Amino acid sequence: MTEGLVLFKDVSVDFSQEWECLDSDQRDLYRNVILENYNNLVSVDVVSLLEQGEEPWMVGREVAGDLLPGK
């Protein structure tokens, strides 16, 4: 297995059509799950940087930008 940076687009699911069919509670649940997944992904990235001896707080916006939706 090749190690490398996991981008949001690698793990995201296109949910646009289904989104319209969800009620308010379902949308809230979906949003919360996505935010939790995003936070976990960022945490894994930070741990990875620390293991490599890098300082994650010094990483430029280009890395964080790759993790954001729409990039």
Side-chain angles (χ1 to χ4, degrees):
M1 187 167 155
T2 304
E3 291 187 31
L5 183 63
V6 176
L7 304 178
F8 182 84
K9 65 183 177 184
D10 296 333
V11 296
S12 67
V13 175
D14 186 9
F15 201 67
S16 56
Q17 291 179 337
E18 291 84 358
W19 181 261
E20 295 174 8
C21 299
L22 299 180
D23 64 31
S24 178
D25 289 336
Q26 291 171 319
R27 287 181 181 193
D28 288 343
L29 176 61
Y30 176 80
R31 186 179 295 111
N32 290 337
V33 169
I34 292 301
L35 287 172
E36 182 178 350
N37 288 342
Y38 172 77
N39 286 328
N40 291 336
L41 181 61
V42 170
S43 296
V44 168
D45 191 43
V46 168
V47 169
S48 175
L49 290 171
L50 288 170
E51 289 176 341
Q52 295 172 26
E54 298 182 31
E55 299 175 346
W57 50 88
M58 300 300 288
V59 174
R61 293 172 71 61
E62 61 276 356
V63 172
D66 287 343
L67 297 173
L68 297 175
K71 294 289 179 177

